[in-house]
Amino acid sequence: MENQYHIKEFNSIVKNRRSVYPKQFVKDKTIPDEMIYEILENANRAPTHKLTQPWRFTVFAGKGRELLADLQTDIYTKYAHENFNEKKLKNLREYPLLSSHVIVVGMKRSVTTAIPEIEEIIATACAIENLFLSLTAYGLAGYLSTGGITYMQEAKSHFDLGPEDKLIGTFYMGYPEDLSNPLTKRTTIYEKVKWIN
Ligand SMILES: Cc1cc2nc3c(=O)[nH]c(=O)nc-3n(C[C@H](O)[C@H](O)[C@H](O)COP(=O)(O)O)c2cc1C
């Protein structure tokens, strides 16, 4: 029976997935919101133990990006303390507006199941990879940032997350300007696999 999926195409999407940073996005080129929704639908198909579906997405588009720039610079200035870094602050201000859309990813803990936290983080990470691969398939690009406010407890409530939940990261996305620089390298899979026959 012929395989119903396009394996070559899929492999090429996976192998060409790459992090592209806001300074490499085409300026002022906006991704249609419907496309973002299609990508989020793919994220929503991630595997999830007991179907807890812990991933949460706060999407910042249009003027919402300015709100995010204000919000994350305020939070960072207030709570970075000894880690405060002017360059990081500048990026937190500039990156949202260099992007078409920004998605802050959260993990919402299940209250009805006794699922270990790590499983909910894994499920959310799977959703992020679905999102990342979908971006690549659509000819879009982006990167996941865990800098800035990600690990600041005080930031959570701004994204509808409670004390038991986690901020996982901020995904900046746009149209890639230039993908001519090489992909990052990986060491061979053979040194990461133990195969027992
Ligand atoms: C959990 C996670 C957190 C990351 N956080 C950051 C970050 O804060 N800043 C950054 O520049 N890149 C970040 N990255 C992107 C990695 O640096 C990037 O994936 C790596 O360099 C490999 O490049 P590639 O994604 O193009 O294959 C993060 C990636 C992951 C998976």
Side-chain angles (χ1 to χ4, degrees):
M1 196 181 88
E2 204 189 316
N3 194 314
Q4 59 176 313
Y5 298 113
H6 302 279
I7 296 298
K8 272 193 187 156
E9 226 172 311
F10 180 73
N11 286 348
S12 155
I13 290 164
V14 173
K15 290 191 172 133
N16 286 294
R17 181 214 57 78
R18 64 192 306 168
S19 296
V20 176
Y21 299 87
K23 284 175 187 152
Q24 303 167 281
F25 295 159
V26 179
K27 280 202 179 40
D28 301 322
K29 187 166 177 191
T30 306
I31 302 166
D33 287 342
E34 310 78 65
M35 216 180 255
I36 297 290
Y37 257 107
E38 286 172 23
I39 287 166
L40 288 170
E41 293 280 6
N42 285 353
N44 199 35
R45 286 299 310 161
T48 158
H49 195 183
K50 302 251 191 223
L51 295 179
T52 61
Q53 305 167 64
W55 46 83
R56 294 293 182 273
F57 303 108
T58 308
V59 182
F60 294 90
K63 287 212 177 299
R65 296 168 308 155
E66 290 170 30
L67 288 180
L68 175 65
D70 288 345
L71 178 64
Q72 63 183 12
T73 49
D74 282 355
I75 296 172
Y76 184 78
T77 306
K78 224 164 161 185
Y79 300 109
H81 304 301
E82 69 278 8
N83 296 322
F84 184 86
N85 175 306
E86 275 296 342
K87 189 168 170 272
K88 193 148 270 177
L89 181 72
K90 190 165 178 276
N91 289 344
L92 289 170
R93 159 119 346 259
E94 291 178 359
Y95 280 6
L97 289 168
L98 291 172
S99 306
S100 162
H101 290 68
V102 188
I103 302 185
V104 175
V105 184
M107 179 279 283
K108 188 115 201 137
R109 282 292 271 146
S110 165
V111 287
T112 52
T113 53
I115 292 247
E117 182 188 63
I118 190 165
E119 298 195 13
E120 308 236 78
I121 296 171
I122 292 169
T124 307
C126 291
I128 292 173
E129 181 67 348
N130 274 10
L131 186 151
F132 217 154
L133 293 176
S134 303
L135 278 183
T136 311
Y138 278 83
L140 305 169
Y143 96 105
L144 178 72
S145 167
T146 46
I149 64 169
T150 301
Y151 300 122
M152 294 179 176
Q153 297 306 310
E154 298 84 357
K156 290 181 186 178
S157 61
H158 296 278
F159 303 96
D160 302 321
L161 298 168
E164 304 301 314
D165 309 328
K166 278 198 184 310
L167 260 178
I168 301 295
T170 302
F171 212 111
Y172 293 96
M173 41 187 77
Y175 284 89
E177 195 155 55
D178 174 23
L179 296 179
S180 58
N181 58 324
L183 292 165
T184 55
K185 292 210 174 359
R186 300 291 184 274
T187 56
T188 171
I189 185 62
Y190 296 104
E191 63 184 47
K192 297 157 188 152
V193 177
K194 183 176 178 185
W195 188 304
I196 299 163
N197 280 318

